[in-house]
Each structure stands twice: as structure tokens, then as C-alpha cells.
Amino acid sequence: MAKRHKNKIAMVFAIVVLIVLIVLAMMIGRYHLTLQEVMSYFLNGASSSTKLILKLRFTRILAVILVGAGLSMAGTTFQSVFNNGLASPNILGVATGSSVGAASAILYGMPIYVTELAAFIMGILTMFLTLVIDHFLHSNSSITLILAGIIMAGLMQSILGSIKYIADPEDQLQSIVYWEMGSFMKVDLSSLFSVAPILIIGILFLFFARWRLNVLALDEATIKTIGINPTVNRNLMILVATLLTAAAVCLCGVIGWVGLVVPHISRSIVGGDNRWSMPMTGLTGAMLLLIADTLARSVTVNDIPISIVTGFIGVPIFIFILLRRKDTVV
């Protein structure tokens, strides 16, 4: 009961911190605004120029929160399903496949919405090809699925390298590399509305189905006595996590470290029970990515690719977590 009470307090505290970070992110930027101007925006009393700035920032902040929560919860799902603390949203090659889709669209000079659609479709296609390889290997082991993902990721990385090799270095190559490193700079209401439903539905599904991850951690005989088909449920959780990853990549490109590090942070706060760690992971992922994006658009004149920032934040955090858990199996 004491643990449950402690987790509730931690959850409320995380929500409060996220709200504070949203307000700060609205204030901070190349054009700094006061708290009063931010509050007046929500009360419909700001000037037209200030409204435009805050509208752009708020749209970007919403995208950051959804992507941060989605990637983090996808990471928790993969780590729980595969029982591997080093699993991440790219474990089935989805992020690399999405990059191939985006790079192909950029190579042929397609508009941004076609690029996003190509990234999403190619990410899902990569996941299905991974499952096909796993099926032909005739194994029920999660390790086999991980190996199939590594195979597909390697293939997609080779295709991506070929596209980069023939791309125009003055224009196309720069866009492809920038997409690989992730950025919310080009996110607008149109692109957000097209991807947000997938992110929201995926996040809500994982939230309400999080208890299934606890069940899937049991041995197969015990799972069947509960009345749950382990294969169907495992594949369903993988599919939803993959959709979240593909949707995130098609909106803002590839973002590293969030899906790997954040699940460990949340488990260190509320424990390994997915009923608590899943929502905490979503909140923590949103906070971490919001901090990273605020730094990315504020430190220099031009936006810094966000994977650079998440790398500088995520690496020391992950090292700290590993040092704390060096006597346990990750």
C-alpha cells in the first residue's frame, strides 16, 4: 500500500512538472515571451504577432509531447515483450525503414506530406517483412524475431546508404541526413493532425492494455491458464508499438535514445510493474523530449537536430542507470 501511495505521488508530481515545462517551452525561444503573454494567449487576449508565435510553439509542443510519450511507451512495450532492457523502438528495423521511405521521397523531390506518408508506409512494410522472416524461420523465440529485425535493419541501412550516395549533395543529401537526425522544425497543424490520431490511439491502447505486459512476462503455461493467447497478445502489442514508432518517424524523423533510456528511468522511479511504469514512461518521455526540443530550438540561431540533443542527455543518464544496476541483469 505504501508503494502504491508513493507511485501515485510520483505520477501527480510528473504531471505537474510536465505542465510547468509546457509553460516554460512556450516562453523560451529566439523570441522570448513573458508568463503573462503566454497566459493571455490561452485567454484570447494576446496581440496578433504574439498569438502567431505562440500558436507555432504550441503546435510544436503538442507534437513533441505525443512523440515523446509514444516512443517511450513503445520502448517499454518492446523491452517487456522481448524481456530485454536493451530493446528499443528500432528493434524491428522500423525507424530505419521509415528513413528509407522518407529518403526515397526526398530523392524524387516529393512534397513534405508525401515524404511523411512514404516514411510511415515503409516503416510498417519493414515490420511486416521482419515478421515474414521470423515466420519462415519457424521459431517461437523472441530472440529469432530480434535477429530478423537486425537483418531487416541492416538491409534498410544499405538501401539508405545507396540513396544517400546518389542523392544531390547540395540539396537532397542534406535533407536526408537532417531527417535521419530528427527535427520538429517543419511540424505544422496539417502534419500534426494527420499523424496525431495514430499516436493518440496507440498511446491510449498501450495505457489501457498495459496489464497484459505483466501477464506476458509469465511462463506460457501460466498465461494460458489465465485465458490469454500469448502469441496473439504479443504480436498485438508489437504491432501497436511499431505503429507508434512509424508515426513518430514520419512526423519528425528518427529520434534516438528516448525509447531506450526513458523506460529505465520510469522503472527506477515506480518499479517494474507496467501498470505504473507505462504511464510514468509516457510522462517522462514527454518531459525529456520537451526539454531536448526546447534546447534544440533555443541554443543557436538554427534548429539543432534533436537526436544530437537527446544523445547528449540520454548517454549520461543511461550510464548512470547501468552503474546503479551493475549487479543486476538489465
Side-chain angles (χ1 to χ4, degrees), residues 1-272:
M1 187 62 72
K3 178 69 173 176
R4 183 185 180 91
H5 182 67
K6 178 183 175 183
N7 287 347
K8 284 183 178 180
I9 293 175
M11 208 73 69
V12 172
F13 180 74
I15 293 172
V16 172
V17 172
L18 178 59
I19 293 172
V20 172
L21 288 174
I22 290 172
V23 174
L24 289 175
M26 294 280 283
M27 296 168 59
I28 298 173
R30 297 186 194 95
Y31 183 77
H32 292 278
L33 299 171
T34 65
L35 179 60
Q36 183 179 2
E37 287 174 316
V38 172
M39 292 297 102
S40 65
Y41 169 73
F42 293 104
L43 298 174
N44 202 30
S47 63
S48 56
S49 58
T50 303
K51 270 188 177 181
L52 178 61
I53 294 171
L54 289 172
K55 181 181 178 181
L56 294 172
R57 284 186 190 174
F58 191 58
T59 300
R60 181 165 175 162
I61 288 168
L62 286 178
V64 170
I65 290 172
L66 287 175
V67 170
L71 285 178
S72 302
M73 294 172 76
T76 293
T77 303
F78 285 126
Q79 290 177 11
S80 298
V81 169
F82 296 118
N83 194 26
N84 187 332
L86 296 178
S88 68
N90 195 28
I91 196 167
L92 301 182
V94 178
T96 311
S98 295
S99 296
V100 170
S104 301
I106 292 171
L107 187 65
Y108 287 99
M110 297 297 177
I112 183 65
Y113 66 89
V114 176
T115 302
E116 292 173 350
L117 182 62
F120 182 77
I121 292 173
M122 198 62 196
I124 300 301
L125 179 60
T126 303
M127 185 270 293
F128 278 115
L129 290 174
T130 300
L131 294 178
V132 168
I133 293 173
D134 179 62
H135 175 73
F136 280 113
L137 292 175
H138 300 292
S139 174
N140 294 322
S141 171
S142 60
I143 298 299
T144 307
L145 185 57
I146 292 175
L147 292 175
I150 292 173
I151 292 171
M152 282 307 302
L155 174 62
M156 291 299 158
Q157 195 64 52
S158 297
I159 296 173
L160 182 61
S162 301
I163 293 173
K164 289 163 68 176
Y165 180 76
I166 62 176
D168 181 4
E170 297 296 327
D171 181 27
Q172 295 172 335
L173 183 60
Q174 184 179 6
S175 298
I176 292 171
V177 172
Y178 202 74
W179 185 279
E180 279 188 278
M181 303 179 76
S183 174
F184 289 91
M185 185 176 66
K186 295 181 181 179
V187 172
D188 55 18
L189 278 175
S190 176
S191 59
L192 179 59
F193 283 151
S194 64
V195 177
I198 301 173
L199 291 170
I200 293 171
I201 291 171
I203 289 169
L204 290 176
F205 177 88
L206 292 182
F207 175 79
F208 288 111
R210 64 194 187 279
W211 60 272
R212 294 177 183 270
L213 293 175
N214 288 342
V215 175
L216 290 174
L218 304 173
D219 62 273
E220 196 159 321
T222 305
I223 296 174
K224 289 182 178 178
T225 60
I226 298 174
I228 290 179
N229 187 316
T231 303
V232 171
N233 279 271
R234 188 176 291 113
N235 290 339
L236 181 60
M237 301 301 281
I238 290 172
L239 175 61
V240 174
T242 299
L243 286 171
L244 279 173
T245 304
V249 173
C250 85
L251 183 64
C252 58
V254 180
I255 297 177
W257 289 98
V258 174
L260 175 63
V261 172
V262 174
H264 290 278
I265 298 174
S266 64
R267 283 194 289 268
S268 68
I269 298 172
V270 297

